[in-house]
Amino acid sequence: MKKKSKVGITITQHLLNQQRENPEATGSFTKLLNELIVAAKVISREVNKAGLADILGPTGTRNIYDDEVQKLDIFANKVIIERMQHVGELCCMGSEENENLIEIPSQYPKGDYILMFDPLDGSSNIDVNVSIGTIFGIYKRKNPDSCSEISLSDVLQKGINQVAAGYFLYGSSTMMVYTTGHGVHGFTLFPSIGEFLLSHENIKIPEKSTIYSVNESYYAYWDDKTRAIVDYFKKVDKDTGRPYTARYVGSLVADFHRNLLKGGIFMYPADRKDPKKPGGKLRLMVEANPLAMVVREAGGYASDGYVPILDIDPGFLHQRTPLYIGSKKDVEIAEAFMKGERK
Ligand code: AHM
Ligand code: MG
């Protein structure tokens, strides 16, 4: 019998349904995601009024990656930390904006979950009304029985260990896309009722696409293998649908989301642009891993050019990685060029 569509149900109902389907669930995970959703609603409201308030524009400071920090980044970071620290389900958090692990203050109860997040990704697009997003990945601490303080060794885990991951997209509408390993589901925020309603049930990414997304202005900084990938996608060949179309917003969440729905490959290769960032710009724990889990659940693939993103053992919290992510066949083509199997 065909499964009845659940389109239109609230995110809360969806989480509760998933909780019921898992007899071991205690509800703590649902509580955690619910609080994250409230934080995203607050961020969404601020993003929507960004042009109106004195919240626009850079603060003049730089974060640990030497990126200019925008006021809204700081706001989003603060909202997530303050809302999530008192839920009682987290043992710590890690944010793109914080150099060290974020501890849960001693007055609040703690749990076994770890929240890794990029509070506002694509921040260079804030000032110009282009879509931006929040990315999150949730893990369980490695040693749950430990009464000891949380340490980096509890946190530094492969992306494959994520128990949930997703993102909020602040675009023409605000969306939440998430997975707990049981399909990828998309919800759209209906501002009039303040609720996320299921709008994209069980998303599947096309296996092969005709879209490539990369900042091609760095061509001169790439190695020959990377150049060959892009040359391949641009070459005319009717049978394989080439040349592909180029689409690059410059907001990872926006580029990823479009490719997830329409098919496509997003690439942020390693380059020689900045000697301080030789492994590419994007961060493994807060950007690549969550999206890699989402894409895998949707039938796609994410690689650093050689190995699956989800299999990379992080050496430190803010590790960077080259990223090739999207339609499976296209990412495999990129991988084949990087491994020298294609020339
Ligand atoms: P951010 O986390 O500082 O906003 O940087 C990440 C963003 C991604 O959203 C996007 O894919 C990339 O940086 C764009 O970088 P570039 O301008 O080098 O193409
Ligand atoms: Mg980011």
Side-chain angles (χ1 to χ4, degrees):
M1 206 170 63
K2 206 177 159 218
K3 245 189 161 182
K4 202 172 158 239
S5 166
K6 297 199 177 67
V7 165
I9 67 167
T10 64
I11 177 81
T12 313
Q13 190 60 51
H14 194 267
L15 287 171
L16 287 172
N17 288 350
Q18 293 224 329
Q19 189 185 312
R20 273 188 216 114
E21 278 169 26
N22 177 2
E24 278 154 42
T26 59
S28 52
F29 184 68
T30 306
K31 209 165 121 197
L32 192 110
L33 273 183
N34 263 328
E35 200 60 32
L36 189 61
I37 290 162
V38 177
K41 285 183 191 172
V42 175
I43 297 167
S44 172
R45 189 199 58 198
E46 284 313 295
V47 168
N48 286 338
K49 67 177 196 197
L52 304 170
D54 179 33
I55 202 151
L56 250 182
T59 56
T61 58
R62 291 188 170 265
N63 71 8
I64 52 163
Y65 304 108
D66 209 26
D67 301 329
E68 195 172 64
V69 176
Q70 309 275 319
K71 277 185 188 172
L72 263 178
D73 302 30
I74 294 170
F75 174 82
N77 199 36
K78 200 162 162 272
V79 168
I80 295 176
I81 294 171
E82 285 176 359
R83 289 216 76 95
M84 299 309 292
Q85 65 187 4
H86 65 79
V87 186
E89 307 297 344
L90 292 174
C91 53
C92 71
M93 294 179 255
S95 164
E96 182 184 302
E97 299 296 343
N98 294 64
E99 186 169 358
N100 299 314
L101 284 178
I102 303 159
E103 289 175 16
I104 305 300
S106 54
Q107 69 264 37
Y108 300 121
K110 293 189 185 71
D112 288 339
Y113 289 107
I114 299 162
L115 174 67
M116 300 298 304
F117 62 97
D118 181 351
L120 211 54
D121 180 71
S123 45
S124 65
N125 280 322
I126 295 172
D127 297 22
V128 288
N129 240 326
V130 171
S131 302
I132 45 184
T134 298
I135 308 174
F136 65 91
I138 299 172
Y139 299 77
K140 281 208 150 185
R141 67 181 290 179
K142 268 191 196 162
N143 188 359
D145 300 327
S146 161
C147 305
S148 61
E149 288 300 299
I150 187 86
S151 70
L152 255 185
S153 60
D154 272 310
V155 175
L156 294 178
Q157 303 183 39
K158 292 180 181 178
I160 197 88
N161 291 352
Q162 288 170 114
V163 293
Y167 56 86
F168 295 90
L169 171 66
Y170 312 107
S172 45
S173 34
T174 295
M175 279 197 72
M176 174 185 179
V177 173
Y178 89 106
T179 182
T180 53
H182 303 283
V184 177
H185 308 288
F187 298 79
T188 303
L189 180 64
F190 279 60
S192 53
I193 57 169
E195 280 282 6
F196 280 99
L197 303 183
L198 182 61
S199 52
H200 298 65
E201 199 179 11
N202 204 11
I203 299 170
K204 290 288 172 208
I205 184 169
E207 202 181 21
K208 186 204 162 296
S209 79
T210 52
I211 294 178
Y212 76 99
S213 319
V214 69
N215 190 338
E216 214 171 324
S217 70
Y218 302 145
Y219 195 90
Y221 299 119
W222 294 338
D223 62 19
D224 289 345
K225 292 171 176 177
T226 311
R227 289 180 191 158
I229 300 170
V230 173
D231 292 343
Y232 171 87
F233 288 134
K234 284 163 50 169
K235 198 168 174 200
V236 179
D237 179 47
K238 253 192 172 169
D239 292 346
T240 50
R242 290 179 288 157
Y244 282 18
T245 293
R247 290 283 183 275
Y248 192 72
V249 175
S251 267
L252 176 60
V253 175
D255 279 310
F256 177 83
H257 184 70
R258 180 203 53 244
N259 290 356
L260 183 69
L261 298 184
K262 293 191 165 186
I265 174 169
F266 173 92
M267 302 180 269
Y268 207 112
D271 60 46
R272 291 187 295 265
K273 185 165 68 83
D274 184 346
K276 279 187 287 185
K277 304 172 186 172
K281 180 183 183 188
L282 300 175
R283 298 82 175 170
L284 177 64
M285 301 282 293
V286 296
E287 292 172 323
N289 271 340
L291 299 185
M293 180 176 182
V294 171
V295 88
R296 192 197 56 177
E297 281 301 313
Y301 180 43
S303 167
D304 72 347
Y306 299 93
V307 294
I309 290 289
L310 294 172
D311 287 349
I312 299 174
D313 222 340
F316 53 100
L317 195 56
H318 293 286
Q319 187 165 319
R320 291 174 194 274
T321 179
L323 179 63
Y324 300 84
I325 189 167
S327 294
K328 193 162 187 276
K329 287 237 149 57
D330 295 320
V331 177
E332 282 170 354
I333 289 172
E335 231 183 22
F337 276 105
M338 293 311 291
K339 290 178 179 171
E341 294 160 7
R342 274 178 184 251
K343 299 226 187 277

